[in-house]
Every structure is written in structure tokens, then in C-alpha cells.
Amino acid sequence: MKILKRTVLLLLVMIALMFAAIFLFWMPSVKESPYQFVTMWGQTGNNAGEFRDPTGLAVTENELFVSDSRNGRIQVFDHNGIFLRQFSGTGQEASTLKRPMNLALLNDRLYVADYWQDRIFVFTLAGELVRLIGEAGSGPGQFNAPGGLAVASNGDLYIADFYNQRVQQLNNEGGFIRQWGTTGKVGILSGQLNYPTDVAVSRDGRLFVADGYNDRIQVFSSSGEFITRWGGPLGLNIKGPFNGWFQTISSIEVDGSDFVYAADFYNSRVQKFTADGDFVNVFGEAGDEGHQFDRVVAIAVTEAGTVFVSDFGHNRIQKWQSSGGLTEGQTP
């Protein structure tokens, strides 16, 4: 009987130590001043300034582009939510947006991933269609529900090819360069993907992948090699509501200081990290008040630190602002 009691006690101590280790190593504290809610706009509908699933965001110095997905259009606002214009393509079947998703900008071009058209639309910022890239399929340069994309400074495209379980890199003309992940196969190991949702590229060429259903971020070098991953314990598809954990990442953004922002969809919040994966900050919570979210699906960050957030379930856009700097000497 004494041996049994000692065994049980030892097991309880081991479990307590395990939870303490998880808390210390995988539940980091906030290292930055809190973000402040500024304003919001939008409601359900198909009129100007209304949305049906606002799914992607991109921001310039003066304008915010919103992918109004189920309305099949891009809406453009100033930074205070004033509607400016909208566009969707030429009006012909093959060259009109059907289900626009995440967005990317390079110079005077807006790149739109169309989930249903299996291609990338390229527009001028005024809304004129310039060209189309890609087609449906599983071969190089083909897509099966592209959901997210990024454009490098040299014009290379990185596309999260959702159902093909891969990220493709194409040149500016749509020529295939390389891919990450095995076409059509889900995996949990480094370099393997589980329905990738979005991508971002840092100034030094590192590729950040929102490995959506693996609940983690993976990072690769400019030459394609795996660097690191994070999200919950060891980045091994362990979801949760804690700092540094995810419940499906739907969008990812890297700002000019190489901080990484992640739209934590089912946790209804935005998380912020250094480029090496160290947790920095978090804001947002589930609810129906003005400063709360019903699933965060997309983010865009200005040079001044303003964060625009697509509040998916409420069909609205929220604007948040950094209230100060780092509080513990943290650097990107």
C-alpha cells in the first residue's frame, strides 16, 4: 500500500512539473505596451462600405484595400473608413473576381488570390485589371484554391496553394521556381504543410508561412531551406488559447521592423512575434462589443504601427494602434 501511495505521489509530482515546464516555456508573457482600439466600420450587405466575408487586407500610405469575398469585389477606403471606390475585374466570366481572398501589394500593383478562379489577379491601384496568373490544377504554376500570397521586392510571387498542400514560388511572369510541401499530402514535420492559408516575405527574403491547420508558423530562408517553426509546444499541431498558441492561422504579415503578426482565427485575436518566433504581444477577444471580434481572418500593418483587422463574423473592419514600445528590451 505504501509503495502504491509513493507511486501515485511521484506521478502527481511529475505531472505538476510537466505543467510547470509548459507554462514557463510555452505560455510567454506580453513584452510590449497594449494595443488600443481606435474605430471600426462595416456591416453585413452588398452596398458600398458593407461586406459579406471581408477576407483579405492590404494597406498603402493613404488607403486600405479590402477583399470583400462573397461579394466578389475589392473595396477601397481611407484609413478612417471612408469609402473611396470598388472594383472586381472586366465583367467577363474568366476575368472577374469570384472569391477574392488575401491580398498583396508591390509598388502600384495589387495582387489578389481568387479562391474559386484558381488564379492570381493583378490590378492597378485604381482597379484596372492588368493580367492573370495561373490556372486550375496540381502542376507547377497551377492552383487549387489559392488563399494567400506575398510579393517579394524583385517581383517573385509566393502563393499559399491551399488544397494542393503547398506554397509555390513563381517569377513575375508566372514561371515556376520552387515549392514547399508535397503536392496533395498533409504533414506535420518541418517543411510539411497542412492547408497553408497565407504567406509573407521579410525584407531579407525570409518566407513566413501560415501553416493553417497545423496551427503554427514555419520560416524558410531566401534559398528555400527550413529555419524554424513555432506555435504551441514544439510547433507540432497542438492548438490552444494561450500566448504563442493558435487555433488556425488565417493570415500573416511582416512589418517594416520584421515583427510578425498572425490572425489567430478561432481565438478571435491578433498575435505579434519577433522574426525568430519570440512572443511579443496579443490583442483582441471573442465577443460582440466594438473592440471584440468574431474570428479574425486578416490583418494589415502600416509603417506607423496601425493594425487593420478583418472581423470576419461581424462583417466589419477594426483599426487598432500601438500605444507604446517594448517593455523588456525586446528587439525584432
Side-chain angles (χ1 to χ4, degrees):
M1 192 66 176
K2 289 182 177 180
I3 294 176
L4 179 60
K5 288 182 178 179
R6 288 176 181 174
T7 302
V8 171
L9 181 60
L10 180 61
L11 286 173
L12 290 174
V13 170
M14 291 177 65
I15 291 171
L17 289 173
M18 180 184 70
F19 277 102
I22 290 174
F23 181 82
L24 289 172
F25 291 102
W26 290 299
M27 295 184 191
S29 60
V30 170
K31 301 178 178 66
E32 196 180 48
S33 300
Y35 276 74
Q36 302 294 328
F37 171 76
V38 178
T39 189
M40 65 181 183
W41 68 89
Q43 62 183 13
T44 303
N46 55 18
N47 295 317
E50 298 177 340
F51 307 105
R52 293 177 63 232
D53 294 356
T55 309
L57 300 174
V59 65
T60 66
E61 183 178 356
N62 300 307
E63 296 182 336
L64 178 71
F65 294 77
V66 181
S67 178
D68 187 8
S69 189
R70 290 187 184 271
N71 280 327
R73 65 186 177 182
I74 305 299
Q75 295 196 64
V76 189
F77 303 85
D78 71 11
H79 286 190
N80 295 313
I82 302 300
F83 174 81
L84 300 176
R85 61 188 179 278
Q86 65 181 21
F87 53 89
S88 60
T90 66
Q92 299 180 356
E93 179 74 11
S95 55
T96 299
L97 294 170
K98 289 186 177 179
R99 186 61 63 84
M101 301 291 283
N102 281 308
L103 308 174
L105 287 163
L106 179 65
N107 300 327
D108 60 349
R109 294 291 184 264
L110 176 73
Y111 295 76
V112 184
D114 193 304
Y115 190 82
W116 279 5
Q117 292 273 43
D118 293 314
R119 61 183 57 173
I120 308 303
F121 284 64
V122 185
F123 293 94
T124 67
L125 300 190
E128 178 184 353
L129 181 64
V130 177
R131 59 195 174 101
L132 302 169
I133 298 172
E135 61 183 3
S138 58
Q142 297 178 326
F143 309 115
N144 188 356
L149 75 169
V151 189
S153 58
N154 67 351
D156 281 359
L157 299 169
Y158 298 82
I159 299 99
D161 193 1
F162 189 72
Y163 284 117
N164 279 330
Q165 308 294 347
R166 64 186 182 183
V167 170
Q168 294 192 66
Q169 181 182 357
L170 310 179
N171 64 30
N172 192 44
E173 300 301 319
F176 178 81
I177 297 175
R178 63 166 65 92
Q179 75 173 50
W180 294 264
T182 303
T183 303
K185 293 186 178 181
V186 170
I188 195 173
L189 300 179
S190 298
Q192 298 176 335
L193 301 170
N194 187 359
Y195 296 96
T197 52
D198 198 17
V199 289
V201 179
S202 65
R203 293 172 300 172
D204 62 2
R206 280 175 292 177
L207 174 67
F208 295 78
V209 179
D211 192 1
Y213 291 5
N214 271 334
D215 302 299
R216 67 186 181 186
I217 293 169
Q218 294 200 64
V219 188
F220 301 89
S221 70
S222 59
S223 55
E225 289 84 10
F226 172 80
I227 297 175
T228 189
R229 68 188 187 208
W230 72 83
L234 305 176
L236 287 174
N237 195 8
I238 302 174
K239 64 182 65 178
F242 313 111
N243 292 344
W245 301 42
F246 304 106
Q247 291 198 66
T248 304
I249 308 170
S250 52
S251 178
I252 190 169
E253 179 95 355
V254 180
D255 71 12
S257 299
D258 282 348
F259 284 110
V260 180
Y261 299 75
D264 191 1
F265 188 73
Y266 288 110
N267 281 328
S268 294
R269 64 185 182 180
V270 175
Q271 295 198 65
K272 181 179 179 180
F273 303 85
T274 69
D276 296 322
D278 295 325
F279 174 80
V280 175
N281 209 342
V282 62
F283 64 89
E285 61 181 2
D288 297 322
E289 299 297 324
H291 62 285
Q292 296 175 321
F293 301 113
D294 180 4
R295 291 159 294 169
V296 171
V297 70
I299 44 183
V301 185
T302 71
E303 290 293 329
T306 300
V307 183
F308 293 96
V309 183
S310 179
D311 186 359
F312 184 75
H314 291 132
N315 282 303
R316 65 191 182 190
I317 306 302
Q318 294 197 35
K319 179 180 178 180
W320 291 69
Q321 182 66 51
S322 172
S323 61
L326 297 161
T327 60
E328 295 185 8
Q330 186 75 36
T331 57

